[in-house]
Amino acid sequence: MCFIVEVKVCFDLYFDYAYAEKLERYMPLLNILVENGWTVKLFPLCFGSLGCIKDDVWKCLRKLSIESYDIKEILKWCSISNLIMANYIWRHRVKKLFSPGE
């Protein structure tokens, strides 16, 4: 059994596009593994840069036999981390755009 877990952080409006992109990207690898006798499960986990989490992330993590309490902690941590880093990136982008001398 082979599990492929791919994490994608995107702008919240593009969850469906990001999910489809991950499925498309890994399909050739999945086909090769299946042809060679592997049982393969792909879990694309999509998180929003503004803290949102795609609906099916919970289900994917449950399929990996992760306990509910741990899933809640993982999702909380990922959501908060995305918010912090989006804020950091935005502040530095604005600072760079409006800094004198450039």
Side-chain angles (χ1 to χ4, degrees), residues 76 88 101:
K76 182 174 78 173
Y88 174 83

Side-chain angles (χ1 to χ4, degrees), residues 40-94:
V40 183
K41 302 243 184 207
L42 173 62
F43 299 109
L45 307 178
C46 298
F47 297 93
S49 59
L50 300 177
C52 291
I53 299 168
K54 188 161 173 27
D55 296 336
D56 62 345
V57 171
W58 180 277
K59 293 176 194 169
C60 289
L61 293 174
R62 287 295 294 158
K63 289 179 184 176
L64 292 170
S65 299
I66 300 174
E67 295 295 325
S68 295
Y69 175 79
D70 293 332
I71 292 174
K72 287 179 186 177
E73 289 298 310
I74 290 168
L75 297 181
K76 182 174 78 173
W77 182 85
C78 288
S79 183
I80 291 170
S81 296
N82 289 340
L83 283 169
I84 290 169
M85 288 312 298
N87 183 319
Y88 174 83
I89 291 167
W90 177 252
R91 283 187 293 122
H92 285 280
R93 173 180 265 171
V94 169

Side-chain angles (χ1 to χ4, degrees), residues 1-49:
M1 172 78 63
C2 177
F3 295 109
I4 300 174
V5 179
E6 175 69 25
V7 176
K8 174 82 171 190
V9 177
C10 61
F11 191 67
D12 298 14
L13 296 175
Y14 300 112
F15 278 144
D16 294 330
Y17 173 76
Y19 185 82
E21 179 187 43
K22 290 301 173 187
L23 290 178
E24 183 180 322
R25 176 176 290 161
Y26 281 96
M27 203 49 64
L29 176 62
L30 291 174
N31 291 335
I32 290 170
L33 291 170
V34 169
E35 287 172 6
N36 287 303
W38 288 87
T39 302
V40 183
K41 302 243 184 207
L42 173 62
F43 299 109
L45 307 178
C46 298
F47 297 93
S49 59

